[in-house]
Amino acid sequence: MDIIYTIWLRNMKRYVRSKSRIIGSVSMPLFFLLFLGFGLNSVVQIPGMDENYVVFLIPGMIAMSVLFTSVFSGIQIIWDKQFGFLKETLVAPVSRLEIMLGQTAGGATTAFIQGVIILVISVFIGLNSQSITGFLIAFGFMALIGIAFTAFGIAIASRMDDMTGFQLIMNFVVFPIFGLSGALFPISSLPPFLIPLTLIDPLTYGVEGIRYGLTGSSQINPVVSLAVLGGFTVAMTIAGAYLFRTIKS
Amino acid sequence: MTVAIHVNHLTRKFNDLVAVNDISFEIEQGEIFGLLGPNGAGKTTTLAMLSTMLKPTSGSATVNGMDIEHNEDGVRKSIGIVFQDQSLDEELTAWENMDFHGRLYRIPGDIRNQRITELLALVELGDRKDDIVKTFSGGMRRRLEIARGLLHRPAVLFLDEPTLGLDPQTRNHLWQYIATLNKEHGITIILTTHYMEEADRLCNRIAIIDHGKIIALDTPANLKDGIGGDVVTIKSSDPSAIVAALREPWVSRIEQHNGQVTISLQNAEQHVSTIVTLLNRDGIAIESISIHKPTLEDVFLSFTGKTIREEEADGKANMRMYHKMMRR
């Protein structure tokens, strides 16, 4: 446990010091929220929902912020590889599993905080949830997204030598995961042939879970969302730990 | 004397490239032991195996009595290592880098803090402890890495090219540190280097390594004595003629190489005029002639027929291959 804490602590120190990164990764979902949200607010009417489009969009933007930050945190191991710091950790008398779990905890915490920042801003632009339980449910789903996708990033980083493949992963894996998740539109309004794709997208269940927590309504039963996302998180953690075991410094 | 490191027919292959080829040696406790050789000779691969970062293809080794394959954690706890490439977190302060290391090696908090203070003072970074490493010079970073490597009180310290890329003044300074650590704290040190001077000044014993094999192993003094006295180097347009002209009983060894003739002999000062006379008699033009006491460079040349720099030019192709393979 103390090793996991040590690696988590390093991640936190780095996070707190990287002001530009914090602002950078808050700005994108925030701009989406402002431009897309307010821009389409008067045009878009979500079927079966009383709230306006901005409120619909908020859970999606929180999920987006957690998703991008966590994948990036996981992939950051490549930096450690390139700057040589990974060697220092790998040659210590600690297990690879502890290192991987520490890194996952650190990345997930970072991503979670980024999500909370968006959530707090949302309160000022129209989110009016009074329910503490609702917030706790949203927090739970945010944490799961954070853990799952940090582990996903670590799994990818374990197989990559440098950052050249990063853009590729972002464009062809992470962005589709975000786009298909129902963060921007209700999944029921998609053409039928796309619906299976959204249903195999793990983030869909995260967005739906957060939406249930914050707005009280969702298209997928929150228990189902929890089960699917929870299962995906466990699977990703195992996959990340397995691939990290063989990482080369 | 107790054995600190025992290496027994250690071999490491990367596909077809044999990076380390059946090497065996022993390092005693309290020694400074040098692995000297050109880049790509297999020094770093040897250290990587001894520090459990890389599995040997065949052969075995023990560090402080523990097997490198069967007791990885035991070996890791008992060694400190300073890598060839920097391995600090530049975003953290000197203190935080030390603290991270101390926690990874599970050193209790109060002892950890006390040792960090001591070690930072030892490497003269006490007043910079709260500065971000990014602001440190190359020499300061190296010192910090050495301090970090000592934090968990290892019995053996591995230094991979400790002064690579540092200016002469910092290099001198670091040599003093390393010698002090060895003398006052009794730490066994194994270092790799391709600087002849570094090996000569610091090491009690040196293994000269080339193409993955140990080609000579002895004290620097014995290695240099093995050359057979002093060294006379003659530059000429016709080196083969010189070799032919100087078949004299007092020449213990004569070799030509790159337009230069290297002659080993006792009491060179007395014979140099004879050499000049002999060459003049045969009408061989001398571009330059010099006499010097043998250096490790001469030792390397006499064993390999090449200077270490030429070997490095050859070794670079190997290094590239090696790096590619390490990444697989």
Side-chain angles (χ1 to χ4, degrees):
Chain A
M1 230 18 226
D2 42 355
I3 301 302
I4 297 175
Y5 169 74
T6 300
I7 292 166
W8 176 87
L9 186 68
R10 170 189 174 236
N11 274 280
M12 287 307 105
K13 280 178 177 159
R14 286 178 67 98
Y15 171 66
V16 171
R17 265 166 223 172
S18 59
K19 304 267 182 320
S20 60
R21 221 186 95 201
I22 300 176
I23 294 166
S25 46
V26 164
S27 60
M28 176 133 90
L30 190 62
F31 289 153
F32 262 68
L33 208 51
L34 295 177
F35 305 148
L36 220 56
F38 288 116
L40 295 177
N41 210 4
S42 51
V43 203
V44 179
Q45 173 62 46
I46 305 292
M49 194 176 166
D50 309 329
E51 304 280 2
N52 53 28
Y53 185 58
V54 178
V55 175
F56 175 84
L57 203 55
I58 287 169
M61 290 306 103
I62 293 170
M64 173 191 182
S65 143
V66 177
L67 169 75
F68 280 66
T69 314
S70 56
V71 172
F72 189 73
S73 303
I75 283 190
Q76 264 200 316
I77 286 201
I78 295 175
W79 288 129
D80 282 351
K81 225 189 251 189
Q82 286 190 331
F83 285 100
F85 187 74
L86 189 63
K87 273 189 195 158
E88 149 80 356
T89 329
L90 293 183
V91 81
V94 299
S95 73
R96 296 273 165 105
L97 182 65
E98 287 171 300
I99 302 172
M100 186 272 173
L101 291 178
Q103 203 68 33
T104 308
T109 310
T110 318
F112 182 80
I113 297 171
Q114 292 291 117
V116 170
I117 295 175
I118 299 294
L119 181 57
V120 170
I121 295 172
S122 304
V123 173
F124 294 100
I125 56 172
L127 182 72
N128 52 0
S129 171
Q130 310 293 325
S131 151
I132 298 290
T133 332
F135 274 116
L136 292 180
I137 291 172
F139 284 162
F141 278 98
M142 286 156 65
L144 284 179
I145 299 173
I147 297 168
F149 284 98
T150 307
F152 170 79
I154 292 174
I156 288 174
S158 304
R159 281 286 170 273
M160 273 173 29
D161 286 329
D162 48 43
M163 290 301 265
T164 46
F166 177 68
Q167 202 58 42
L168 222 59
I169 299 290
M170 275 305 188
N171 287 345
F172 288 98
V173 182
V174 181
F175 209 77
I177 286 177
F178 162 67
L180 287 169
S181 70
L184 299 174
F185 41 77
I187 45 179
S188 58
S189 55
L190 281 172
F193 73 94
L194 271 180
I195 289 186
L197 275 180
T198 58
L199 290 183
I200 58 166
D201 179 353
L203 191 68
T204 303
Y205 303 89
V207 173
E208 284 292 299
I210 297 174
R211 189 166 286 143
Y212 174 80
L214 296 182
T215 66
S217 67
S218 65
Q219 293 186 306
I220 297 173
N221 185 318
V223 179
V224 175
S225 293
L226 182 65
V228 175
L229 188 62
F232 177 71
T233 306
V234 172
M236 271 300 120
T237 310
I238 292 171
Y242 177 78
L243 290 175
F244 186 75
R245 216 166 44 96
T246 58
I247 196 169
K248 295 263 193 309
S249 58
Chain B
M1 271 296 212
T2 336
V3 174
I5 293 180
H6 178 88
V7 177
N8 190 18
H9 298 292
L10 206 59
T11 300
R12 172 70 209 202
K13 293 179 187 163
F14 296 98
N15 296 343
D16 288 340
L17 177 74
V18 186
V20 172
N21 189 356
D22 190 27
I23 59 169
S24 300
F25 60 87
E26 263 185 9
I27 302 177
E28 283 167 3
Q29 243 169 43
E31 242 189 320
I32 301 186
F33 187 88
L35 287 171
L36 174 69
N39 289 327
K43 294 169 292 170
T44 301
T45 310
T46 306
L47 277 206
M49 285 191 281
L50 292 179
S51 60
T52 76
M53 295 289 280
L54 195 66
K55 294 262 179 242
T57 308
S58 63
S60 64
T62 61
V63 176
N64 300 311
M66 289 166 286
D67 189 278
I68 55 165
E69 284 193 86
H70 302 115
N71 191 357
E72 280 194 6
D73 266 12
V75 172
R76 289 172 179 205
K77 270 178 210 149
S78 74
I79 60 167
I81 183 159
V82 177
F83 297 102
Q84 186 168 342
D85 304 316
Q86 187 200 296
S87 63
L88 296 163
D89 186 338
E90 295 193 355
E91 307 284 331
L92 298 185
T93 65
W95 181 279
E96 286 166 343
N97 267 289
M98 296 287 280
D99 187 65
F100 179 83
H101 183 91
R103 287 171 187 270
L104 275 192
Y105 285 75
R106 298 188 168 89
I107 304 168
D110 44 343
I111 302 176
R112 190 169 68 226
N113 289 339
Q114 186 201 334
R115 281 194 201 161
I116 295 175
T117 313
E118 281 169 18
L119 283 168
L120 286 179
L122 175 75
V123 297
E124 292 168 51
L125 287 173
D127 51 339
R128 297 291 302 268
K129 69 184 169 68
D130 293 322
D131 291 348
I132 302 269
V133 170
K134 216 189 265 178
T135 64
F136 283 18
S137 69
M140 290 162 74
R141 287 171 193 218
R142 223 58 185 134
R143 267 147 51 204
L144 179 58
E145 286 185 304
I146 292 177
R148 185 179 67 177
L150 293 170
L151 188 58
H152 55 286
R153 299 259 159 101
V156 182
L157 184 64
F158 290 66
L159 302 172
D160 196 359
E161 299 279 1
T163 64
L164 189 70
L166 298 180
D167 60 88
Q169 200 190 342
T170 316
R171 180 172 296 164
N172 257 311
H173 211 64
L174 265 178
W175 285 344
Q176 279 167 22
Y177 276 127
I178 295 169
T180 312
L181 284 175
N182 174 256
K183 224 173 268 158
E184 290 177 13
H185 301 259
I187 297 167
T188 309
I189 294 172
I190 170 167
L191 65 89
T192 73
T193 184
H194 66 287
Y195 295 124
M196 300 289 174
E197 198 196 345
E198 182 162 288
D200 202 358
R201 249 192 73 174
L202 274 177
C203 300
N204 303 118
R205 285 193 307 146
I206 295 169
I208 297 182
I209 184 165
D210 190 36
H211 296 300
K213 274 199 161 304
I214 292 182
I215 52 178
L217 196 164
D218 214 326
T219 62
N222 284 350
L223 284 171
K224 287 183 284 186
D225 285 350
I227 288 279
D230 303 330
V231 179
V232 173
T233 312
I234 307 172
K235 224 178 176 177
S236 165
S237 52
D238 192 3
S240 336
I242 300 181
V243 177
L246 293 180
R247 296 201 186 282
E248 297 292 325
W250 38 264
V251 172
S252 52
R253 178 197 244 118
I254 181 159
E255 273 162 5
Q256 63 158 311
H257 152 86
N258 252 11
Q260 276 193 21
V261 179
T262 312
I263 306 155
S264 308
L265 73 173
Q266 299 293 338
N267 304 323
E269 292 85 352
Q270 292 170 20
H271 291 289
V272 72
S273 65
T274 324
I275 292 175
V276 175
T277 316
L278 281 173
L279 295 183
N280 272 338
R281 188 196 64 192
D282 292 359
I284 303 164
I286 299 171
E287 277 174 40
S288 71
I289 183 164
S290 69
I291 309 172
H292 63 99
K293 294 284 167 200
T295 64
L296 288 174
E297 183 76 63
D298 300 310
V299 176
F300 190 84
L301 182 62
S302 80
F303 276 107
T304 65
K306 286 180 172 178
T307 65
I308 201 161
R309 227 172 254 135
E310 286 163 353
E311 274 293 50
E312 291 202 333
D314 290 356
K316 267 188 188 139
N318 280 344
M319 276 293 275
R320 268 187 221 115
M321 239 163 95
Y322 166 80
H323 271 297
K324 264 193 201 155
M325 284 163 182
M326 282 296 277
R327 291 185 176 277
R328 275 191 198 142

